Amino acid sequence: MGGCSSKQTNEASAPPVAQGNGNQTLLAGGASDDRKAAVDAMVAAVQQAQEPHHIDTTVTMCPVFRIEPENLQLWKAQCDSFYEAAKKEDGMLSYGFAYSEAEGSGEVHIRQCYRDAASLTAHLRAIDVPLQAALKLSQLERVEVTGPASELAKFRQELAKLGDVTVQFLETEPTAIRRPAACSGEHGSDTAVSVSHRYKLETGSAD
């Protein structure tokens, strides 16, 4: 979504800091935004090296469309509209289309992850036109939204159904973790592989 491993290393490599009047802090050599950004990035790198895993509070959404072979190329032709809208959303963490083509018909999955429910809601509003076109070329099979209870509650207030399909909400445990990964944001830069296990529990079997 190597490096320093001690406080001493961080202090040795950071630019000297001088105290100004009152609560104002000035970097030595002038209040340069570039120098401050470099220091902030350095501190973040040290923190990530010390604690590479963070509590995962992100929200993911995966709609699945069933599509007939004759409509597949038309469907793919409008994908750029989705990508361009996604790249404008600051809260977007990952976004991509996945295809499962079988004899007779195929499926289109949109794997997308956002910082919070507000970011996901903003994206859905931005893609309303291409989404409506996609629904005319395919059949929406299911929609799953996964995230912490607090974010799911916010999203439910905005969207309970997509098209004619009721959204399935899956609540993550408070102990869910995530490792941030660098990504350039260009097409093809997301090389992550996701795996989703499904287990069917009998009523009363879950603690």
Side-chain angles (χ1 to χ4, degrees):
M1 190 11 177
C4 303
S5 59
S6 69
K7 182 178 180 182
Q8 290 180 340
T9 303
N10 181 40
E11 291 175 345
S13 55
V17 176
Q19 295 296 329
N21 296 328
N23 295 326
Q24 186 181 21
T25 299
L26 299 177
L27 293 174
S32 167
D33 290 339
D34 290 341
R35 288 171 65 84
K36 182 178 184 305
V39 173
D40 290 343
M42 191 180 303
V43 172
V46 172
Q47 291 175 338
Q48 182 172 334
Q50 293 174 338
E51 300 181 37
H53 295 95
H54 304 276
I55 298 299
D56 186 7
T57 58
T58 59
V59 178
T60 61
M61 182 178 192
C62 185
V64 178
F65 301 82
R66 181 164 297 279
I67 187 169
E68 299 302 320
E70 62 269 19
N71 291 330
L72 184 58
Q73 293 308 313
L74 288 173
W75 214 103
K76 289 183 176 181
Q78 62 175 349
C79 288
D80 282 348
S81 299
F82 289 88
Y83 279 122
E84 291 305 315
K87 286 192 288 187
K88 294 177 182 178
E89 177 51 58
D90 290 339
M92 185 271 294
L93 301 177
S94 65
Y95 197 91
F97 290 82
Y99 300 92
S100 173
E101 299 180 35
E103 185 176 354
S105 64
E107 287 186 347
V108 181
H109 298 232
I110 307 180
R111 185 184 68 168
Q112 48 195 311
C113 182
Y114 299 87
R115 186 174 291 113
D116 50 33
S119 301
L120 172 55
T121 301
H123 174 69
L124 291 176
R125 288 173 178 164
I127 62 164
D128 182 64
V129 173
L131 179 59
Q132 296 305 318
L135 290 172
K136 292 180 180 179
L137 294 171
S138 59
Q139 179 179 349
L140 184 60
E141 294 279 298
R142 63 183 182 274
V143 182
E144 296 178 352
V145 176
T146 305
S150 58
E151 295 301 317
L152 294 186
K154 297 173 186 176
F155 189 72
R156 274 195 183 96
Q157 296 177 357
E158 301 291 337
L159 184 74
K161 297 182 69 175
L162 186 62
D164 295 327
V165 176
T166 300
V167 176
Q168 181 181 4
F169 292 95
L170 303 171
E171 181 181 329
T172 54
E173 291 189 326
T175 52
I177 58 175
R178 177 175 180 271
R179 180 190 291 270
C183 181
S184 69
E186 298 301 321
H187 286 301
S189 60
D190 181 8
T191 58
V193 177
S194 59
V195 179
S196 178
H197 296 272
R198 296 173 182 269
Y199 301 90
K200 187 174 182 179
L201 301 176
E202 298 297 332
T203 304
S205 62
D207 293 333

